[in-house]
Amino acid sequence: MNTIHTVNILVDNDSWILPYAKEFACWCESKGLKVNFARAQSELLNCDISFFIGCVRIVSSENLNKSRLNLVVHESALPAGKGFAPVAWQILEGKRIIPICLLEATNAFDSGDIWVQESFSLIGVELYDEWRRKQGEATLSICQNFINRYPQIEPKKQRGLETFYARRTPNDSELDIDKTIREQFELLRIVDNNKFPAFFSYRGKKYKLEISEYAE
């Protein structure tokens, strides 16, 4: 029976997910696992399991071969919703139950077998920092769930209609001045006031809007 003794945890950028990945690393160590916390593919070691959390670069075949199993988190009901920024897109669609999968990382994009599938809930008023916190907590939970259950769990093949979400850019935070706030509230929920703020164009100029909860 294969058991887990050594773990890679890779976060290859300065992502918002970094504190949750570090918390997961500490949790793994508390379980007696030897953890290599990597910030670049070149730092990956030969190990039992590798977790790629919030990564923005495709992991090479050479580095995938360093682990018996490579896992990545994706927040959609795969194979629907492959691609980029799945939580933001689903908030725009008005969804409040967000699926989250722990799947095998392969050379085919978001197409590996699913090892664990869970979900987290939104109530429809969470702004960027709030729903990111829920996403981070769900990421931590699903990775811990895998460690606790392995090797008594079996992966499942993806089944169903394959769809893709496009990469979002700062230009996607543009508001339509002819629409109401109510009509664009979901868009306001997914903007980051610093990195990709809401803005609108009027009379030849661009104006930035910041949103936060009003505490009376």
Side-chain angles (χ1 to χ4, degrees):
M1 179 181 293
N2 291 325
T3 56
I4 303 173
H5 301 286
T6 54
V7 172
N8 281 318
I9 299 174
L10 171 65
V11 184
D12 67 0
N13 63 102
D14 294 326
S15 170
W16 64 270
I17 199 70
L18 194 55
Y20 299 95
K22 290 181 177 178
E23 185 176 350
F24 177 52
C26 292
W27 181 88
C28 287
E29 289 175 340
S30 75
K31 294 290 185 180
L33 303 179
K34 184 176 181 180
V35 177
N36 172 46
F37 194 88
R39 298 304 313 280
Q41 290 187 45
S42 59
E43 299 173 2
L44 292 172
L45 303 177
N46 293 324
C47 71
D48 296 321
I49 309 288
S50 286
F51 292 87
F52 306 138
I53 300 178
C55 292
V56 297
R57 298 171 183 85
I58 296 174
V59 179
S60 68
S61 296
E62 178 184 359
N63 286 316
L64 290 175
N65 289 334
K66 291 180 179 179
S67 301
R68 186 171 72 238
L69 180 61
N70 300 283
L71 298 170
V72 63
V73 176
H74 187 81
E75 300 84 5
S76 75
L78 292 170
K82 295 181 179 183
F84 303 94
V87 179
W89 282 113
Q90 288 173 90
I91 289 174
L92 279 175
E93 294 166 357
K95 294 180 180 176
R96 297 190 181 184
I97 304 297
I98 308 297
I100 181 169
C101 299
L102 187 67
L103 67 150
E104 188 166 354
T106 65
N107 292 323
F109 200 57
D110 293 335
S111 296
D113 294 348
I114 297 172
W115 282 85
V116 187
Q117 187 165 14
E118 299 177 353
S119 65
F120 62 97
S121 299
L122 303 175
I123 61 174
V125 298
E126 297 90 346
L127 300 182
Y128 182 82
D129 288 341
E130 297 171 288
W131 61 260
R132 280 299 200 199
R133 176 179 55 80
K134 291 188 175 183
Q135 181 182 350
E137 291 171 350
T139 297
L140 177 61
S141 174
I142 201 170
C143 292
Q144 290 173 333
N145 191 355
F146 172 85
I147 295 289
N148 285 332
R149 294 172 59 191
Y150 188 84
Q152 280 76 36
I153 53 175
E154 295 289 338
K156 296 180 180 179
K157 297 289 184 184
Q158 296 187 28
R159 300 185 185 280
L161 179 64
E162 181 181 66
T163 60
F164 290 88
Y165 287 125
R167 188 187 297 273
R168 294 188 64 79
T169 72
N171 288 335
D172 291 313
S173 297
E174 184 173 9
L175 299 168
D176 186 335
I177 61 173
D178 294 319
K179 291 184 178 180
T180 65
I181 291 176
R182 185 192 305 275
E183 289 175 298
Q184 299 177 94
F185 183 61
E186 311 306 343
L187 177 57
L188 288 168
R189 289 176 60 203
I190 66 171
V191 301
D192 181 315
N193 288 332
N194 298 311
K195 295 180 179 178
F196 38 90
F199 70 94
F200 65 91
S201 299
Y202 187 61
R203 294 178 178 172
K205 289 185 176 292
K206 288 184 178 181
Y207 299 90
K208 181 175 76 171
L209 289 181
E210 295 188 6
I211 183 169
S212 61
E213 185 175 351
Y214 179 56
E216 297 188 58

